[in-house]
Amino acid sequence: DQASGAVRLSVVAFYSGSVTRGLETRRRWPKVIPIAGVQLAVATAAASSPAQMLFLLGGLLILVVALVAPLLVLLGAFPATFAGWRVGPAAIDMSGTDAMTILGLLAALPYVPWRSRALRRILLATIGYCAVLAVTVVGHPTERGIIEVFHRGLLVAGACCIGAAVAWAGHARLALRVYLAASALVSLVAIVDTIAHRVQPAYPFGLQKNDAGAQLAMGLVILFVAPHRAGLSRRLTVAAGLLLLVGLAATESRGPALALAAVFAVHLLHQRRAGGLGRAIRLAPLLLAVSLTLIGVSVAVYMTRDLN
């Protein structure tokens, strides 16, 4: 009854509105169909489960915001990389990062510079990445494996399109600052968490330590490789870098930590070839200290666990 009532209400409302505006009949009905479909879905969800209705209404509200104020959604996609919590009904089973990536991609589509050669190369590389993942799925086809290939492709390609749209719109500096602010908050919580639990691996905001560590390592890459993009002062850059580095150590996430050291080494080699030898020499001791610290933390954690 609620569903049929919603459809009738949509038809009557749009028919009356069309008459008052003097629209022709052939132009009237195409406008009724999508609105009636949305109301039908809401009414059906309300009849079966109020919780589903609230989730659907929340999703519609966010979708409207993505269309009306796309910048808010695009900026929100950056700190949402930390949102690993599950959202929505169990049938959907997606994380907050997945949801914001999808919404951010929808908001970014009108602003993506599709003619950019750099973006096309990245998207082609993403296709190659998904093709490599698909090799194992072809050998051992499972529903979960097939979904995961598309999931990885959506995350990588969607993130690239969102970043390209933000940069093309001229808001890259603001987006990076938002991401670094979220990283600093997560790092601070990680430090407090590891101190409160006697130097155990930190799980800030309930995040898995490797996921949190990977995001903090990305923040360090931004501060080290392209500090001018964020537009922070030298002192603030150094302070933020130290905070994120300690937060990364608090998570005891060894993979991202060692990957970060490798990124630093590759960047210094690139600086040397590009003629920035002076900067490479100045940063070499820092790189050595960071690498030894991260390796030392990894070895100490393993030895402590073996003794226990």
Side-chain angles (χ1 to χ4, degrees):
D1 293 339
Q2 295 181 28
S4 61
V7 174
R8 291 196 299 270
L9 179 62
S10 300
V11 173
V12 172
F14 274 81
Y15 182 83
S16 302
S18 299
V19 170
T20 57
R21 290 189 298 268
L23 297 178
E24 298 178 1
T25 303
R26 60 185 178 85
R27 296 177 57 188
R28 203 183 300 137
W29 287 105
K31 296 178 179 295
V32 176
I33 295 175
I35 303 301
V38 171
Q39 290 191 347
L40 175 63
V42 174
T44 304
S48 59
S49 172
Q52 290 185 7
M53 180 194 68
L54 293 176
F55 173 76
L56 183 58
L57 288 176
L60 289 174
L61 177 61
I62 298 175
L63 181 59
V64 170
V65 173
L67 297 175
V68 176
L71 179 60
L72 295 178
V73 179
L74 293 176
L75 294 179
F78 283 77
T81 54
F82 290 97
W85 314 288
R86 314 312 293 179
V87 297
I92 298 179
D93 190 27
M94 67 170 57
S95 66
T97 304
D98 297 332
M100 283 303 299
T101 301
I102 295 174
L103 290 173
L105 181 59
L106 293 176
L109 287 177
Y111 308 99
V112 176
W114 298 109
R115 296 182 180 181
S116 172
R117 293 184 178 180
L119 179 60
R120 291 180 180 178
R121 291 175 182 175
I122 293 175
L123 294 179
L124 287 176
T126 303
I127 295 175
Y129 168 67
C130 293
V132 173
L133 293 178
V135 172
T136 57
V137 177
V138 172
H140 304 279
T142 61
E143 181 180 356
R144 183 175 180 180
I146 296 174
I147 294 176
E148 185 60 25
V149 171
F150 287 99
H151 177 231
R152 298 284 184 90
L154 173 64
L155 287 181
V156 177
C160 292
C161 290
I162 292 172
V166 170
W168 184 83
H171 299 292
R173 175 172 294 184
L174 179 59
L176 291 179
R177 288 182 176 181
V178 170
Y179 180 80
L180 291 174
S183 301
L185 177 61
V186 172
S187 182
L188 184 61
V189 174
I191 295 171
V192 174
D193 184 68
T194 192
I195 293 175
H197 293 85
R198 299 180 180 180
V199 200
Q200 293 296 317
Y203 292 83
F205 297 109
L207 299 174
Q208 209 278 340
K209 67 183 188 71
N210 291 327
D211 292 340
Q215 299 300 330
L216 295 178
M218 184 57 64
L220 285 167
V221 169
I222 295 173
L223 291 173
F224 181 79
V225 175
H228 59 283
R229 296 293 184 184
L232 302 178
S233 64
R234 182 180 296 272
R235 291 183 179 180
L236 188 56
T237 299
V238 173
L242 291 176
L243 177 61
L244 267 59
L245 183 61
V246 177
L248 176 59
T251 63
E252 297 183 13
S253 182
R254 295 176 295 277
L258 296 177
L260 177 63
V263 169
F264 285 172
V266 171
H267 179 67
L268 290 178
L269 290 176
H270 176 73
Q271 289 289 322
R272 180 178 180 180
R273 292 179 180 178
L277 183 59
R279 184 170 185 266
I281 293 175
R282 292 193 303 271
L283 294 176
L286 176 61
L287 173 62
L288 178 61
V290 171
S291 302
L292 292 178
T293 301
L294 296 176
I295 294 173
V297 170
S298 301
V299 173
V301 171
Y302 271 119
M303 292 181 63
T304 303
R305 291 178 180 175
D306 291 340
L307 292 176
N308 294 334

